[in-house]
Amino acid sequence: MSELRWDPLKKHWVIIATERGRRPLDFHQDNQPAKMISCPFCYGHEARTPQELFAIRPSGPSNSPNWKVRVIPNKYPVLRVEGEVKSRGYGLYDVMDGIGAHEIIIETPDHDRGLADLTVAELTDVLKAYRARYLDLRQDFRLRYMVLFKNHGTLAGATLQHSHSQLIAVPLIPPVATTELNVCRDFFAAKERCIFCDMIDFEISTGERVVREFPDYITLTPYASASPFELRLFPKQHCHDFALLNDSQLGGVALAMKDMLSRLKVVLKDPPFNFILHTAPPAHQRLGKPDYWGSLAWDYHWHIELVPRLTQIAGFEWGTGFFINPTSPEDAAAFLREAEV
């Protein structure tokens, strides 16, 4: 029979439709966007993008070739840095000015290589760029939350084939993050333990949904996976803030990421996916709530969420808030574990 499973972190129900039993081959699809004749993210086209904010390059001046990873402002940002945060009422509604930041992390100068194709050393450089931009943006007290994400493939929202991720900083805590942060805080208040640490210990003890375990990191399929082959990557030792990692620790994350991305590419033939890095928000004090983030370092646990875009949200999902997953996380973990990478 199908099962309804509750996700205690996201506070939603998932239907694991086991009788449908969809296997990896059922999800294979054409994923690549149309190739561009001239890509603005490639070597030699630096003048076609806004001035870079950060880059990793062996030598040479800013905005020149010879870079490994390059960060630029989005040419068409959804939010802009200039201005003050102003909130106002509009009848029953609330309105805020569109203040924030929107950046592009160009992960490689090679147009035809995806994130899964990069070496561990190259992935480490990408993670260093993530860390550098987090540390810089969180100095702006207007910005309350940063979400770093990657859309891979047209069905996941990618409009350019050249491998890149995005970082958007917003002047408030988004609802999804608020739910997760409140769950973590309440769990710690009741038990003086991190809910993620408890979850990781339980998953290691059962082993059913573990895809790969490294000395310091683990990848697994969540018990209440909303999407087929959904994956999460966790540090095994408690850490709330990705930006606190040193270069050696970033190398460990890169190794686990490389394994996770490679398995997904082998099993599902390079599927479209969304990749989200969840980390603690800046510990800026909130007006009237001086102790609001008092337990953040103990109750939160940074992690990476990877969601293949293999099914569509339709009427039932919109009408109920439930998700239907036709492949159990236990089966998905087994397929991924057995992949030869």
Side-chain angles (χ1 to χ4, degrees):
M1 291 181 64
S2 296
E3 287 186 340
L4 279 84
R5 297 186 181 183
W6 172 250
D7 187 327
L9 282 166
K10 296 181 180 293
K11 289 197 168 184
H12 64 213
W13 284 97
V14 172
I15 297 175
I16 306 296
T18 49
E19 73 283 357
R20 299 186 181 186
R22 297 185 68 181
R23 301 170 65 84
L25 190 61
D26 299 327
F27 296 110
H28 291 177
Q29 56 191 290
D30 182 17
N31 174 44
Q32 294 302 323
K35 289 193 175 183
M36 298 184 66
I37 296 174
S38 180
C39 172
F41 292 171
C42 285
Y43 263 167
H45 295 170
E46 291 77 16
R48 294 179 55 189
T49 70
Q51 297 289 299
E52 69 188 36
L53 299 166
F54 176 85
I56 296 176
R57 56 166 52 87
S59 61
S62 297
N63 301 298
S64 67
N66 198 33
W67 50 271
K68 296 181 178 180
V69 181
R70 190 165 181 255
V71 183
I72 58 173
N74 193 308
K75 194 172 184 178
Y76 306 103
V78 297
L79 298 169
R80 294 185 178 275
V81 173
E82 301 82 11
E84 296 299 323
V85 176
K86 295 180 181 178
S87 176
R88 57 193 179 276
Y90 178 67
L92 295 176
Y93 310 106
D94 290 302
V95 183
M96 294 182 70
D97 292 338
I99 303 301
H102 190 173
E103 302 180 359
I104 301 292
I105 300 95
I106 308 171
E107 298 155 348
T108 171
D110 192 332
H111 185 85
D112 295 317
R113 295 175 73 206
L115 200 62
D117 304 317
L118 303 186
T119 66
V120 172
E122 290 170 328
L123 282 171
T124 302
D125 282 341
V126 172
L127 295 174
K128 288 178 182 178
Y130 290 175
R131 180 184 61 189
R133 297 313 303 153
Y134 268 126
L135 290 172
D136 183 54
L137 287 172
R138 66 176 48 177
Q139 296 180 55
D140 188 334
F141 276 69
R142 298 173 304 164
L143 307 179
R144 295 300 178 115
Y145 194 78
M146 292 88 185
V147 58
L148 198 150
F149 64 96
K150 178 180 177 65
N151 301 329
H152 176 73
T154 53
L155 294 177
T159 55
L160 286 175
Q161 183 183 15
H162 197 123
S163 190
H164 66 283
S165 42
Q166 301 181 57
L167 177 59
I168 297 181
V170 294
L172 46 75
I173 309 291
V176 169
T178 297
T179 296
E180 190 170 272
L181 288 163
N182 286 338
V183 165
C184 293
R185 186 182 58 184
D186 294 345
F187 187 92
F188 183 81
K191 303 187 179 184
E192 295 189 353
R193 299 197 308 270
C194 165
I195 189 172
F196 285 101
C197 290
D198 277 14
M199 183 187 304
I200 292 165
D201 289 344
F202 174 73
E203 293 296 347
I204 291 174
S205 69
T206 65
E208 288 183 289
R209 290 169 292 276
V210 174
V211 174
R212 184 76 190 276
E213 185 177 357
F214 294 88
D216 298 316
Y217 300 92
I218 188 168
T219 54
L220 53 86
T221 55
Y223 172 75
S225 297
S227 172
F229 293 88
E230 181 179 338
L231 286 160
R232 290 184 193 161
L233 187 159
F234 298 98
K236 289 163 67 176
Q237 296 298 316
H238 181 80
C239 177
H240 72 293
D241 189 353
F242 171 83
L244 297 179
L245 301 187
N246 59 37
D247 288 357
S248 176
Q249 291 168 323
L250 290 180
V253 179
L255 180 64
M257 270 182 59
K258 172 69 175 177
D259 180 84
M260 175 177 67
L261 293 164
S262 298
R263 290 177 188 279
L264 198 70
K265 186 172 183 178
V266 167
V267 171
L268 296 174
K269 306 302 179 187
D270 196 21
F273 65 79
N274 298 115
F275 167 105
I276 307 102
L277 174 56
H278 296 266
T279 190
H284 303 328
Q285 297 298 329
R286 296 183 61 179
L287 186 65
K289 298 182 179 180
D291 298 323
Y292 191 79
W293 299 121
S295 64
L296 190 62
W298 295 274
D299 65 41
Y300 195 68
H301 200 117
W302 77 263
H303 57 286
I304 289 171
E305 183 176 9
L306 195 155
V307 184
R309 299 298 294 271
L310 307 175
T311 57
Q312 292 185 332
I313 294 177
F316 177 78
E317 290 86 350
W318 280 112
T320 62
F322 287 25
F323 293 87
I324 300 176
N325 181 351
T327 305
S328 77
E330 293 77 17
D331 287 345
F335 285 126
L336 292 165
R337 272 197 306 268
E338 294 164 7
E340 295 184 9
V341 296

